[in-house]
Amino acid sequence: MASSHQILLLLTYGLLFMSTILVTCIDAATSIGAGSVPKRLVRKLIHRNSVKSPMYNSVHTDFDRAKFAFEDSISRVAMIEAKMVSCKGNMSCSDKIQANLHAKAWVGVFFVEFYIKDLSHRMLAVMDTGSPLLWVHCIPCPNCAQASTRIYDPSTSSTYTNISCRSKYCQALRQNSCDQRGNCKYELHYEGAHPTEGMLATESFIFDTSDDGLLTVPHLVFGCSHVSDEKPDAVMGVLGLSSNKVSLATRLGNKFSYCVGGIKDPSYEYNQLILGEGAILEGDSTPLEIYNGFYYVTMEGISLGGAMLDIEQNTFQRTDSGQGGVMIDSGGELSFLVQRAYEELADAIMNMLDLNSWFKSELYFSKLCFEGNVTRDIKGFPSVTFHFSGGAEMGLEAESLFSQSTTTTFCMTILQADYGQPSLIGVGAQQYHNVGYDISGKKLYLRRMDCELLDE
Ligand SMILES: *[C@@H]1O[C@H](CO)[C@@H](O)[C@H](O)[C@H]1NC(C)=O
Ligand SMILES: *[C@@H]1O[C@H](CO)[C@@H](O)[C@H](O)[C@H]1NC(C)=O
Ligand SMILES: *[C@@H]1O[C@H](CO)[C@@H](O)[C@H](O)[C@H]1NC(C)=O
């Protein structure tokens, strides 16, 4: 039975949460004597191919990495589609996902480091703006025997608290249930993603701040995963930044931003995520809509080298039944455009590049591959710009638009979305931009930026 004591505690957490954060910030800043500049909750984003990533492998070639980016982006789409279908409770839709796309589970693009409970539990989790929940592997963990990092054990933590089934946090999760004691259990099972199940709970999390300090955020809601088919190694969970009552983004002040610099250079170290008050909401903005837990924007057109392509605006609209639309995503590298827009863009690009260099791709998902070297052969290739309502823009230079797939070939990193799927703006397209999410103000801020400048 959930004690009234527990419920009271939860209520108190709910009501006092924001002031707790505030007090924690002030305390921390005061203790370090950093003056009046508020600390930012900044996390370096570790690209999966970065030298800092546990997935880094120095023998991997450009081709290996490009192939992985293509495959993982496809898994990502399968996952999104499955989630949208499950949202509607229409399982027959899932037939559309081709069987061969399931071969691999989605990995994600960026990892974020933080600590749970204390500094002896370092965590690396996948950043995902399409997931509602922060979850990590917990003991008991059936597949954790060979994990290289220390796994968090809730039974030894005095700051761990199960959340009651009756709490609003439990009810905010679509797939929840109660154990015999009235504690909330969660489940997340999506196509193309590792399933996770466990207890919905609260615990202290520790994040680094912009001034090399540490900020403890007490009583953060998270999923303590006890069931997963994944063998966790160094990557221990998912940092969900979608918007609902349990999401970290919502609980840390309804805003966050990330800056994506380079993703091709394994030594680049300025990609970063800022949570809460210090989030950078700068540049032009466009309305941000949250639908089925995903972030959508209103695209109005695409231009190549300053000339608008002939695509009707309604091509990008989401239908009443939820098909189409344009999603901004952080979980996949490649972008996808609905057929009409894709064809128009592909034609325009084919017209600009030497058709003789076109070849049938080994990266079976991309239809547009060419002989050559991105950095050398298409210098000055006109940029492709996505235009959003309200005037915000996202410009893709050659390095964002094409990816070197072998030593002698490169492919376009925008693919065609399947019928009914949304267009998807992947991380590759967001390179060299700061992207700010103002959830309560329902605005997305885009600014071209050198992320290195944020690092002072
Ligand atoms: C469910 O999916 C099927 C197949 O895609 C479709 O024909 C049907 O209209 C959908 N039903 C609902 C209620 O969305
Ligand atoms: C949380 O719930 C689980 C599952 O019922 C239980 O095993 C565990 O002892 C609980 N932990 C606390 C601190 O109440
Ligand atoms: C592409 O060209 C650049 C600049 O000339 C060179 O540094 C790079 O090694 C080339 N890449 C490949 C895969 O040959």
Side-chain angles (χ1 to χ4, degrees), residues 74 77 231 286 288 310 450 454:
I74 297 285
V77 170
K231 283 206 180 64
T286 186
L288 180 68
D310 180 21
D450 177 355
L454 293 177

Side-chain angles (χ1 to χ4, degrees), residues 160 162 179 181 183 199:
Y160 173 92
N162 286 320
D179 72 1
R181 304 177 197 176
N183 293 326
M199 303 303 298

